[in-house]
Amino acid sequence: MLVQAITFVLRPTATYQAIALDVPAAWLGVLAASFAVVPLVLAAPAGQIIDRLGERRLLIAGPALLTLATAAFVLLGDAIAGLTAATMLLGTGHLCSVVGQQALVANATEPGRYDTAFGYYTFAASLGQALGPGLIVFFGGDQTVPHTRAIFLGTLAVSVPLLLIAVFLRSSGQHGRQSGTGSGGFRELLARPGLIRALTVSCIVLAAIDVTLVYLPALGAERDIAAGTIGILLTVRAVASMISRLFLGRLTAAFGRHRLLVGTVAVSAAGLLLMLIPMPLWLMAVLVVAAGLGLGAGQPLTMSFLAESAPPGMRGRAMSLRLTGNRLGQVVIPSAAGVLAAGAGATGVLAITAAGLAGAAVAAGGLHESQGEDQ
């Protein structure tokens, strides 16, 4: 929860700080992509470390890097280069934290309960995502651009207890149980039917969350919507994701994983697309809820698929493989979005993102057949 709270307040605040520095719209895409550059390289080695040595090392390293990142925002946030460097550090700390956490959940959960376990885990993440933007409301939410330095300092205060809590986490004891090490392990995972489709869906859904987090504030600035209102909308989106994740086990039992994945991704695409039409704020909030419900289910469902596909001792690599694909999407898609924003603005970026989600729904539709082959 604390990892996500820190991340989800720092990222939109970095966008507002860049706007205050009069950074061109294309640079917002670069700023968003910088979050994923270093993790893109480190994700695979992180999974190997977990499978060989256990989760605890990364569970401590992640919060330590997040604390350093918050300090970097405070000290270096007055220039775009400093914002970019701090965002890269933030992305690295976030990567170490989540790959360790996801592997711990996968290794500590009994087979058949992955949807419920990852639903609860991602519920906690969504709770942090809902609480984080609240700092934007607290520090100058009535302004188009809030007091960013105060938000950076407040987040630094939150990162200290996060680091203290992380020290008490322990490994699952599942490491070192599989002989498939090195690149062969990754080849074996990629060869499993349906896995590449699941990675693709996960990548697009996470990139959509990422782009929304960066460009919803930009859309608000274009439409002269107060920063506090945008912060509330981001919180509403996260709360909607919390609801879908809290009841994910029951929803999967009722509708099946395949139908639920296709339906929720399609709903999020429709909600995001309709949001681009000028409308009253209450109707925009309704569409944000729809998008949040859909986006919330996609990540834990793909985590469940990977956890079931990977044998014990290789789940760290399975989760790191998923995060590598996610980070690749976070580098490529926001960078392309930044180029698009130079001509089409935030509205054009969000429209393309909605189209990408529609494509992800189509890809998820073929996941069922691939799983059937594996079974």
Side-chain angles (χ1 to χ4, degrees):
M1 182 188 71
L2 289 174
V3 166
Q4 298 298 331
I6 290 171
T7 303
F8 271 67
V9 69
L10 286 178
R11 300 207 62 201
T13 303
T15 298
Y16 280 122
Q17 177 65 4
I19 291 172
L21 295 173
D22 293 325
V23 170
W27 269 97
L28 295 179
V30 175
L31 185 64
S34 66
F35 177 78
V37 171
V38 177
L40 180 60
V41 178
L42 294 182
Q48 292 176 324
I49 289 173
I50 288 173
D51 288 337
R52 292 171 180 170
L53 304 176
E55 302 93 351
R56 188 170 188 267
R57 286 170 174 79
L58 291 186
L59 291 172
I60 295 176
L65 289 169
L66 288 175
T67 303
L68 290 176
T70 352
F73 277 111
V74 173
L75 298 174
L76 307 175
D78 291 333
I80 184 60
L83 282 176
T84 303
T87 302
M88 291 175 69
L89 193 57
L90 177 67
T92 306
H94 183 267
L95 177 279
C96 291
S97 298
V98 297
V99 72
Q101 292 165 5
Q102 291 172 16
L104 184 60
V105 172
N107 285 324
T109 301
E110 297 178 0
R113 291 188 54 84
Y114 286 124
D115 291 321
T116 300
F118 280 113
Y120 288 155
Y121 166 72
T122 52
F123 169 82
S126 293
L127 180 58
Q129 294 169 12
L131 294 175
L135 281 177
I136 299 176
V137 180
F138 186 77
F139 292 105
D142 58 337
Q143 303 175 4
T144 303
V145 178
H147 301 291
T148 55
R149 182 171 179 82
I151 299 174
F152 290 149
L153 288 170
T155 309
L156 180 60
V158 175
S159 67
V160 176
L162 167 64
L163 183 56
L164 294 177
I165 293 170
V167 174
F168 293 96
L169 295 174
R170 294 292 180 267
S171 294
S172 64
Q174 295 289 325
H175 54 283
R177 292 181 54 183
Q178 179 73 0
S179 60
T181 59
S183 59
F186 287 108
R187 287 196 296 268
E188 178 184 341
L189 288 172
L190 287 172
R192 291 177 175 266
L195 189 136
I196 293 180
R197 282 182 179 269
L199 292 176
T200 301
V201 174
S202 177
C203 169
I204 295 175
V205 170
L206 184 62
I209 297 174
D210 207 53
V211 169
T212 303
L213 187 64
V214 173
Y215 280 94
L216 193 58
L219 182 66
E222 288 181 3
R223 296 181 178 178
D224 199 25
I225 300 174
T229 301
I230 295 298
I232 292 172
L233 288 176
L234 289 172
T235 300
V236 166
R237 184 207 61 78
V239 170
S241 294
M242 288 168 56
I243 294 173
S244 66
R245 290 169 172 179
L246 182 62
F247 298 102
L248 188 64
R250 296 180 183 179
L251 291 170
T252 304
F255 300 103
R257 187 181 297 165
H258 168 247
R259 289 191 185 93
L260 189 62
L261 183 59
V262 174
T264 53
V265 174
V267 166
S268 64
L272 193 59
L273 184 62
L274 293 173
M275 198 188 308
L276 304 179
I277 303 171
M279 63 184 66
L281 282 174
W282 68 266
L283 182 55
M284 188 174 183
V286 171
L287 294 175
V288 166
V289 169
L293 288 171
L295 292 173
Q299 294 301 303
L301 288 173
T302 55
M303 290 179 196
S304 297
F305 176 83
L306 292 175
E308 286 186 346
S309 298
M314 294 186 67
R315 290 178 183 138
R317 271 166 286 185
M319 296 303 161
S320 69
L321 190 62
R322 172 185 168 274
L323 287 168
T324 299
N326 287 351
R327 292 301 185 262
L328 180 61
Q330 286 180 298
V331 170
V332 174
I333 295 176
S335 297
V339 174
L340 179 64
T347 302
V349 171
L350 294 174
I352 294 297
T353 304
L357 285 170
V362 174
L367 187 58
H368 181 66
E369 288 77 11
S370 297
Q371 283 181 275
E373 293 170 8
D374 190 44
Q375 294 169 349

